[in-house]
Amino acid sequence: MSKLSVKEQSGCRKLLKLLPLDDLFALKDTVTNRLIAVESTEEAIEAIITYSQDAEELLKRKKISKCEKSTVVTDEVGDGLSDLPALGKQFCQWFYCLLNSQNPSQGHPAQDWGPQHFWEDVRLQLLLCSGEQRVDEFNGAELVSKRLRALAGEERLLFCPNLEGYGLKCISSAHGLVIVAVAGTIHRDNACLGIFEQVFGLIRSPMDNNRWKIKYVYIKVEAQSAITDRQLPLITYDSKELLRLCK
């Protein structure tokens, strides 16, 4: 019987799902001393959790460290509001690791992307600046999930966020909304295509273990040819503008 609490088990399951299959099964062999045979990802995860003495021991495993244990944002960081920069950084590490894994050029199995990470009424606005501006809007968890996945999967874009200094900004509203804004560069293969600013509105879901889920997404992409006055990817929106984007 696992010695992990129910909350720890939930967080560890989410983390283990991020591992490539080879690493997951190798970790299962290490934790169980090869005593347990499994035939699926789910069985491997349950075996690892069952035979782990505690969460700290599991999180120190080498295979886990490769996957950034800090990405278990939803269960391991308290209410998140006491340290917004830490919450924002952990969320971005999780999100872009997940999104970039959908890019086939990365050569790794795609991780568990899907509408489950979004509120049902999530809204996505996509602003493309390449000489002229174009705005597309998408609504609903299924459609938003597919459009974002297509950026990495079909358009083969790779997002590299700047999580230091002025590349990351986090604020919260009086109603429990956390806004995470991040800037970075966009690449395809070996070419830098431009810079982006992405804004997320996050709200906890009491119906889903109180996890943070994405309510709003705003992406502004500036093509390399349109960048004239700045080179570093920095947040250009102030707090009032960020709140306005998530309404």
Side-chain angles (χ1 to χ4, degrees):
M1 186 70 179
S2 175
K3 295 183 179 180
L4 279 65
S5 69
V6 173
K7 189 173 184 180
E8 288 173 336
Q9 290 183 39
S10 176
C12 288
R13 284 190 182 93
K14 292 183 176 68
L15 180 58
L16 290 168
K17 287 180 180 179
L18 300 179
L19 286 175
L21 288 179
D22 289 346
D23 287 348
L24 180 66
F25 281 87
L27 179 60
K28 184 273 299 179
D29 287 341
T30 300
V31 172
T32 67
N33 290 320
R34 298 182 181 272
L35 296 176
I36 302 297
V38 299
E39 297 181 354
S40 67
T41 298
E42 290 72 24
E43 289 180 359
I45 290 174
E46 292 309 311
I48 291 169
I49 290 175
T50 299
Y51 282 82
S52 293
Q53 295 300 309
D54 53 54
E56 182 178 0
E57 176 206 48
L58 177 57
L59 293 174
K60 286 181 178 179
R61 296 284 185 180
K62 185 176 181 181
K63 298 297 183 182
I64 292 289
S65 298
K66 288 176 60 179
C67 212
E68 283 291 341
K69 57 179 176 286
S70 60
T71 60
V72 191
V73 178
T74 55
D75 296 286
E76 303 292 341
V77 293
D79 62 7
L81 301 180
S82 59
D83 192 346
L84 284 177
L87 172 61
K89 187 172 184 177
Q90 291 176 355
F91 170 79
C92 289
Q93 288 172 329
W94 167 79
F95 180 85
Y96 291 107
C97 177
L98 186 62
L99 180 60
N100 286 334
S101 77
Q102 312 304 308
N103 187 327
S105 68
Q106 294 301 289
H108 303 297
Q111 298 174 13
D112 188 24
W113 179 271
Q116 68 271 19
H117 302 302
F118 303 86
W119 285 84
E120 284 298 321
D121 58 350
V122 61
R123 184 179 79 243
L124 164 65
Q125 287 183 299
L126 179 59
L127 171 61
L128 177 62
C129 304
S130 56
E132 59 182 29
Q133 291 191 352
R134 171 186 165 187
V135 181
D136 293 323
E137 184 168 321
F138 305 85
N139 295 279
E142 193 69 38
L143 191 58
V144 169
S145 172
K146 288 182 177 179
R147 183 64 187 98
L148 288 173
R149 186 187 184 282
L151 294 175
E154 298 173 14
E155 300 175 40
R156 301 174 71 90
L157 300 179
L158 186 68
F159 290 79
C160 298
N162 173 19
L163 301 182
E164 306 297 334
Y166 296 106
L168 178 67
K169 183 173 184 177
C170 307
I171 63 174
S172 63
S173 74
H175 306 291
L177 174 70
V178 169
I179 298 176
V180 177
V182 61
T185 54
I186 298 180
H187 305 258
R188 181 184 289 124
D189 299 324
N190 294 323
C192 179
L193 304 182
I195 60 178
F196 72 91
E197 289 181 81
Q198 189 159 1
V199 181
F200 302 90
L202 308 178
I203 300 178
R204 283 190 180 277
S205 172
M207 304 302 292
D208 193 6
N209 295 323
N210 214 29
R211 293 195 309 127
W212 291 104
K213 297 179 73 170
I214 302 170
K215 182 80 167 179
Y216 305 100
V217 188
Y218 172 85
I219 310 176
K220 178 183 178 182
V221 177
E222 293 183 79
Q224 188 74 17
S225 59
I227 302 172
T228 57
D229 59 340
R230 61 191 174 97
Q231 297 299 320
L232 293 176
L234 306 174
I235 296 299
T236 60
Y237 300 105
D238 61 28
S239 296
K240 290 183 178 179
E241 291 172 323
L242 292 177
L243 286 168
R244 191 159 52 245
L245 287 173
C246 292
K247 286 185 177 179

